[in-house]
Amino acid sequence: MFARLDSSSRLLLLGICLFFGTFLFSTVYSKIKQFRETHRYIRQEIRRSSGAERRYWMQEKKQLWLSLLPFRHK
C-alpha cells in the first residue's frame, strides 16, 4: 500500500505521523513528570509525619498508584 503512494503523499503521511508521535510523546512525558512530582511530595510527607497523618499520606500514595490504572472508578 505504501509503495503505491507518490512522494508528496508519502511526505504528508510522514508529517502527520510525526505530529501525532510528538503529541503522544509530550502527553505521556507530562503525565509521568506530574506523577513523579506528586509521588516525591507524598513520600516527603510520609517521612515527616506520624500517626493518623501518616496513615492519611499512605492512603494518598495508594490512591496515586491506583490512578495509573485506566479502568479505575471513583
Side-chain angles (χ1 to χ4, degrees):
M1 181 182 146
F2 191 70
R4 290 183 175 175
L5 298 176
D6 60 353
S7 61
S8 61
S9 297
R10 287 181 186 172
L11 283 175
L12 180 61
L13 184 60
L14 179 64
I16 291 171
C17 288
L18 285 174
F19 173 76
F20 283 112
T22 303
F23 176 75
L24 180 65
F25 175 77
S26 64
T27 302
V28 169
Y29 178 77
S30 174
K31 298 272 186 193
I32 290 171
K33 184 178 177 186
Q34 181 182 7
F35 175 84
R36 289 185 63 163
E37 289 173 357
T38 305
H39 187 256
R40 185 180 319 129
Y41 175 75
I42 291 174
R43 282 191 342 223
Q44 289 174 351
E45 290 298 321
I46 290 171
R47 280 194 292 267
R48 74 158 192 84
S49 62
S50 62
E53 187 178 6
R54 185 182 196 115
R55 285 190 297 275
Y56 169 79
W57 287 111
M58 294 292 281
Q59 184 66 27
E60 288 294 310
K61 183 178 174 184
K62 182 179 177 181
Q63 292 297 320
L64 178 67
W65 279 104
L66 288 175
S67 72
L68 296 177
L69 299 175
F71 51 84
R72 179 177 168 260
H73 298 305
K74 284 192 170 190

